Amino acid sequence: MQDNATEVTAAGIARLAGVGRAAVSNWRRRHADFPRPVGGTETSPAFALAEVEEWLRRHRKLAEVPLKERVWQQLAGHPDGPVTALVHAGCALLLIHERPPVWLDISSGTDERLAALLPTALDEVLTPRVPGTARPGRTDRSRVNGQPPVNTPPAATPANPATPATPATPATSATPALAIPTAPRLLPSVPLLRGVAELAADRGARPTFEFLLGRHLDANPRQYTLTPPDLAGLMAALAGTPATVLDPSCGTGALLRAVADRPDRRLHAQDSSPELAALTALRLALHTRAPVHAAAGDTLRADAYPGLRADAVLCHPPFNERNWGHDDLAYDPRWEYGFPARTESELAWVQHALARLRDGGTAVLLMPPAVASRRSGRRIRADLLRRGALRAVVALPAGAAPPYSVPLHLWVLRRPDRTHAQPELLLVDAGRFTAEGRGGPDWPGVRETVLDAWGAFDRDGGVEERPGVAGSVPVIELLDDDVDLTPARRLPPPADTDGAGRLADVRARLDETLRLTAELAPPPAEPVPSAASGRLPLTTVGELARAGALVMRTGGHGGRARVPVLTDHDVLAGTAPSGTLPESEEEPVLTEPGDVVLPVLGGGAVARVVDEATAGAVLGRNLVLLRPDPAALDAWFLAGFLRGTANHRQASSYASTATRLDVRRLQLPRLAPDEQRRYGERFRALDAFERALREAGRLGEQLVRGMYDGLTDGTIAPD
């Protein structure tokens, strides 16, 4: 009965059955026995998951719902919301991970028995792993890490981690991140917990939680600002191997997960979102054996760890906040380097990090580039430099973290434990590692450049200058009217000893590409005589899929780490796979030579045939893959006819702001294999011509930009 409470949307039904949403709409219209909506809205109804599964099996639309999909749908459709379900699942997975015999014992009876016994079992596991966890029936919940939070009244009640509501005004007290759920709260989650346990038996507790968390984050991309794993690894590497680490704006815990392990490690996390604080506490508890101290509350107004002196602070703070507490915190002792202006919330986070460090401790913060140059912050920047607190500013390539269009900075700080006689600041500009497309920077290059420069600077107090890349600048040279710390403005430009030679090489490649383009240009089109232009018999992709002539797959929401992902942008631009997917245990769709890939959003008439260079990439979101049977369909014939403008127009649907392609409705003629190959060769030639045009355009832009730069910087003569 509890399972009937789990709801699923039409999109969820489509994923269960491996079809498009249009098919689900057709089933609702054509089958009188299709389950009736039990919730949602008129335009986005929700259905009982158990009824949907039974209907799919009865009509042979689905032999069996995959376990991981069933668990995800139970979580997404939980009557108390997905965050509650994810917290309950995380608690159960931690118990399964730590004490599997206890789980087997309490789960062997009825759902009511499991719900009744689980809180006590969780108390025994969570209390030592996540100190400060609020216990059922405990009234004194005001302590975090054994210390009363700032401004906490004696009878403070902890925020419920299962309620993702954000208060209109920031909280004035910090509370434990986790509260052990009671039996009545757990009872609706018991079917989900049994499914989670079954999934964990196959995958392991930690990968199961990562899979569910990754799916939840991917389903709600606008609600969360994530720190990419490569960036988190770089920030953790800059901090060294600290024993005590604090992240005062922990988000989903990516930074603390990246910290190098050591036997005496202790982790401290805080976030203003109760749901993120709870999920991070569980994620870290599953990831490490270290004690995880976690709190929910506004860090600047309600610091949960006022007495902490950590070895390292890692932080990805919120950017450009006006309501950070400027009016409430004017006399706060943390402002050792000056009271931040209302527009300088990031400098408040910088000083909070320094205040929570032991002498000589290191802080690494991700910052927007404007913080290095805004006039309103120049006095604080100057004092940070004079006292030797700010040690390095690293300019990252665009695409390193959200917002991806902005080249963010890393600030490396150290709480002064001595006075530097002639302090210097390390400046690193890693902008040259920006990658083409949307796949993110060249992280191995970024990591090597930044860590090599920081290692030499930290060891020797200076670094050998690399023009345009890295250098150490005396602080006295930076203390001008602006105190501008932007690396690109302070480092000498890169030496270009052979700028003219490079441009000559680009010009030669452009000439060769233009010659090839002329050779590949299609011959003049000859009109078909009117007597021979009769309409060919047509079929659709959907009919071909049902007949077994091709297999249709859709891009996933997660996959194996460090596998190149073919994105919709790559297909549209004709570039190599450049994307990433959230880390999860979801089985990805891998491309093979001869596959035809189409983007389903945006309205462009594009289809790409996968070659040997692209094969093996993971199929990204908003892409559909068609794998034709070579005995029945020629891949180039298929791709060519699917690119027809009229074909796309009749197969597209339109929302207020987007166009979506129903691939199953795309049409192509019924032709014999020999005739297919004749069309396919012509389409292949057109594709080669199109790629040559793209390359010519890229080289032309590179040549023009190089000429402008050479003429303006004096490396090329105007004559």
Side-chain angles (χ1 to χ4, degrees), residues 123-421:
D123 188 13
E124 295 175 357
V125 171
L126 283 172
T127 300
R129 299 291 289 110
V130 187
T133 298
R135 301 174 180 175
R138 178 179 169 184
T139 57
D140 180 15
R141 300 176 179 177
S142 61
R143 292 182 176 272
V144 178
N145 191 24
Q147 301 177 5
V150 176
N151 299 328
T152 304
T157 302
N160 188 340
T163 305
T166 303
T169 58
T172 57
S173 63
T175 58
L178 281 173
I180 297 174
T182 62
R185 294 294 304 274
L186 285 168
L187 188 57
S189 300
V190 169
L192 166 67
L193 301 186
R194 294 190 186 278
V196 164
E198 188 179 351
L199 194 59
D202 179 49
R203 294 169 171 245
R206 184 184 303 162
T208 296
F209 187 75
E210 289 296 322
F211 161 69
L212 296 174
L213 177 62
R215 283 285 291 267
H216 173 68
L217 297 176
D218 194 54
N220 302 276
R222 296 184 179 181
Q223 295 183 23
Y224 307 103
T225 300
L226 306 181
T227 307
D230 290 303
L231 175 58
L234 174 61
M235 294 175 67
L238 288 168
T241 56
T244 305
V245 190
L246 167 68
D247 185 348
S249 180
C250 63
T252 59
L255 291 175
L256 293 177
R257 279 191 72 208
V259 176
D261 200 5
R262 53 183 289 177
D264 58 343
R265 186 173 65 174
R266 296 182 303 279
L267 304 178
H268 297 76
Q270 183 172 352
D271 199 274
S272 59
S273 166
E275 63 180 78
L276 286 179
L279 295 177
T280 292
L282 291 167
R283 189 183 197 189
L284 294 175
L286 283 163
H287 178 73
T288 178
R289 297 299 306 170
V292 179
H293 304 277
D298 185 302
T299 296
L300 296 181
R301 287 187 174 89
D303 182 13
Y305 312 104
L308 179 66
R309 293 297 176 263
D311 298 314
V313 175
L314 300 175
C315 186
H316 177 175
F319 298 160
N320 303 318
E321 280 199 336
R322 295 298 182 97
N323 186 26
W324 59 267
H326 178 272
D327 296 336
D328 306 325
L329 303 172
Y331 302 102
D332 196 288
R334 288 173 291 183
W335 315 141
E336 294 183 47
Y337 302 87
F339 181 42
R342 188 183 303 276
T343 56
E344 294 287 352
S345 63
E346 295 86 2
L347 291 179
W349 285 97
V350 165
Q351 295 191 74
H352 173 81
L354 286 168
R356 293 297 158 264
L357 285 174
R358 63 165 176 80
D359 290 346
T362 302
V364 184
L365 286 86
L366 184 66
M367 309 289 277
V371 182
S373 59
R374 278 194 298 244
R375 289 190 61 81
S376 55
R378 66 188 186 279
R379 292 183 179 178
I380 295 178
R381 292 197 299 272
D383 207 31
L384 289 168
L385 291 173
R386 289 191 192 97
R387 297 171 61 180
L390 181 57
R391 306 300 296 137
V393 175
V394 177
L396 297 170
Y404 290 107
S405 60
V406 178
L408 301 174
H409 287 181
L410 288 178
W411 282 26
V412 183
L413 303 107
R414 184 159 287 164
R415 185 171 179 82
D417 56 354
R418 58 187 175 86
T419 302
H420 291 266

Side-chain angles (χ1 to χ4, degrees), residues 380-573:
I380 295 178
R381 292 197 299 272
D383 207 31
L384 289 168
L385 291 173
R386 289 191 192 97
R387 297 171 61 180
L390 181 57
R391 306 300 296 137
V393 175
V394 177
L396 297 170
Y404 290 107
S405 60
V406 178
L408 301 174
H409 287 181
L410 288 178
W411 282 26
V412 183
L413 303 107
R414 184 159 287 164
R415 185 171 179 82
D417 56 354
R418 58 187 175 86
T419 302
H420 291 266
Q422 293 181 332
E424 295 188 347
L425 177 71
L426 173 66
L427 298 176
V428 181
D429 188 352
R432 66 193 183 107
F433 294 103
T434 302
E436 295 183 3
R438 297 190 299 181
D442 172 15
W443 278 112
V446 173
R447 186 180 177 92
E448 180 182 2
T449 299
V450 174
L451 293 182
D452 285 353
W454 171 250
F457 180 80
D458 193 36
R459 181 181 61 252
D460 305 327
V463 65
E464 182 179 352
E465 185 174 85
R466 297 175 59 191
V469 178
S472 54
V473 181
V475 165
I476 192 65
E477 296 183 11
L478 301 170
L479 297 176
D480 52 20
D481 289 341
D482 296 325
V483 196
D484 189 341
L485 309 181
T486 306
R489 296 172 186 161
R490 295 293 186 174
L491 292 172
D496 192 351
T497 57
D498 192 25
R502 271 192 314 105
L503 291 182
D505 179 63
V506 172
R507 176 59 188 265
R509 289 163 57 199
L510 177 60
D511 289 343
E512 177 64 21
T513 304
L514 290 174
R515 183 190 61 77
L516 177 63
T517 304
E519 292 178 0
L520 293 173
E526 298 182 4
V528 177
S530 57
S533 60
R535 185 173 178 83
L536 296 171
L538 299 177
T539 186
T540 66
V541 169
E543 291 174 351
L544 291 171
R546 286 191 291 273
L550 58 82
V551 175
M552 187 167 74
R553 304 290 299 276
T554 57
H557 292 72
R560 305 163 188 159
R562 304 195 181 281
V563 177
V565 176
L566 185 68
T567 69
D568 54 348
H569 181 270
D570 299 330
V571 174
L572 292 168

